[in-house]
Amino acid sequence: MTVSVLVPSSLVREAEDKREATRKLGYVARAATVFRTDRLVVFPDPEGEAKWGGGFVSTVLEYAATPPYLRKEVFGKRDELEYAGVLPPLRGPSLTGSESEGSGSLRQGIVTEVGPEGRVRVNCGLQHPISLVVPPKMAVDEGERVTVRISSRSPVRAKLVDEPLPGFEVTRTDLPAALDRDDAGVRIATSRHGVELTTGRLTELVGRTAEDGMTVAFGSPGRGLPDILDLSPASVGHAWPTDAVGGEADAESNVESGAPGRFDLWVNAIPNQGSDVVRTEEAMFAALACLNLKEK
């Protein structure tokens, strides 16, 4: 089960300066961490970009998602990261190594040297890079990020494991490509013009997302997903398509196959919003909090 979150390259279009834009992206990264997102995708919205484009957005998010002990080695000094100090700490267990399950905790590491006899040196946030054996059928190169399972720190006992990196991955991908992934799960678009998310509808939805995963897309302030996709607000506000969440099709919904824009459904997770504009990071916390609920 995979959780992917899609945000536009225009999501900081209304930030007054680079510092404020960086802070806003920090809250986006916080939301991704709080709700255990696996993949945070920045999709292009060039018409909505102002001072800050997709390169800036993805770089700051990648920096925020990188464990602090690897940031200097991975990024060095970059103009996009001038105000990286305002980013809030994510404090994800998988980033700090404080989450212990079974034989140890997982941490991100970076290969600093490839040596002989199938060994590599890895910086994984301990006092010094450590020498580890590369598992069979696993190939790694210098500079590559790897997953390390640490079972003891004193003395150090660790091993490379062929598992996904802890934390969430940041990528830049076109919206159609992100929605067409085999592991996309239920494809959900968020918009104030979508169908209001009620307790009954949420019960239908979380059962399916818990089983199949989900991809949730958000717009930007003043430029929601309908605008980005050149869709009329009326076209996304149809009746609840129960066939999209595992039930029988609603005869009154007139929905035969999915919803506009390659999505399975369009959802309004803040039906009684008291502000004219809901910021992307606010919408993320509101929508993902609902979708993160359990059936029992």
Side-chain angles (χ1 to χ4, degrees):
M1 194 274 286
T2 301
V3 176
S4 297
V5 170
L6 317 182
V7 295
S9 60
S10 58
L11 71 89
V12 291
R13 65 195 299 261
E14 296 183 353
E16 295 182 359
D17 53 36
K18 189 186 294 187
R19 182 187 182 92
E20 180 59 29
T22 302
R23 188 189 303 276
K24 181 183 180 76
L25 292 170
Y27 294 135
V28 169
R30 280 284 298 171
T33 301
V34 168
F35 298 107
R36 293 186 176 272
T37 297
D38 299 293
R39 187 181 303 110
L40 184 56
V41 178
V42 180
F43 63 87
D45 177 29
E47 293 185 15
E49 294 175 7
K51 302 175 184 177
W52 328 109
F56 172 81
V57 171
S58 60
T59 296
V60 175
L61 290 175
E62 287 172 14
Y63 182 89
T66 300
Y69 55 82
L70 294 181
R71 288 173 175 173
K72 182 177 181 180
E73 186 167 351
V74 173
F75 293 94
K77 290 186 178 181
R78 301 182 61 169
D79 291 341
E80 299 97 321
L81 302 173
E82 180 180 2
Y83 292 102
V86 305
L87 291 170
L90 302 188
R91 299 187 65 81
S94 59
L95 295 184
T96 62
S98 60
E99 183 177 89
S100 181
E101 295 182 359
S103 59
S105 60
L106 297 180
R107 289 169 70 87
Q108 283 193 39
I110 188 168
V111 177
T112 59
E113 181 183 346
V114 176
E117 300 179 354
R119 301 189 71 91
V120 294
R121 294 188 68 81
V122 178
N123 175 7
C124 55
L126 302 181
Q127 188 173 6
H128 303 287
I130 57 177
S131 177
L132 299 173
V133 176
V134 180
K137 299 182 180 180
M138 180 179 174
V140 296
D141 297 317
E142 186 174 330
E144 183 177 347
R145 295 200 205 187
V146 292
T147 302
V148 180
R149 184 178 294 278
I150 298 177
S151 55
S152 172
R153 296 194 181 206
S154 182
V156 175
R157 294 192 181 94
K159 63 179 180 180
L160 284 182
V161 291
D162 192 7
E163 298 183 24
L165 291 174
F168 62 88
E169 174 190 18
V170 179
T171 62
R172 295 179 65 183
T173 309
D174 289 341
L175 191 57
L179 295 174
D180 288 344
R181 287 180 60 99
D182 292 338
D183 61 353
V186 183
R187 298 167 298 180
I188 304 169
T190 61
S191 170
R192 65 183 305 175
H193 303 292
V195 179
E196 293 185 355
L197 190 59
T198 63
T199 53
R201 289 166 177 162
L202 182 61
T203 299
E204 295 178 31
L205 184 54
V206 296
R208 174 73 182 276
T209 58
E211 180 179 348
D212 296 342
M214 60 183 170
T215 295
V216 190
F218 298 87
S220 61
R223 186 173 167 83
L225 278 176
D227 287 342
I228 293 174
L229 297 175
D230 197 24
L231 298 171
S232 68
S235 70
V236 304
H238 50 64
W240 183 255
T242 53
D243 58 323
V245 293
E248 297 297 327
D250 185 348
E252 298 180 357
S253 69
N254 296 320
V255 178
E256 296 181 356
S257 58
R262 295 175 180 258
F263 292 97
D264 294 313
L265 65 162
W266 286 72
V267 168
N268 178 2
I270 315 175
N272 297 313
Q273 70 183 62
S275 175
D276 290 337
V277 176
V278 174
R279 298 171 180 173
T280 306
E281 65 273 23
E282 295 169 339
M284 286 180 64
F285 275 104
L288 295 177
C290 294
L291 298 171
N292 193 57
L293 295 175
K294 298 182 180 296
E295 288 185 281
K296 296 180 181 180

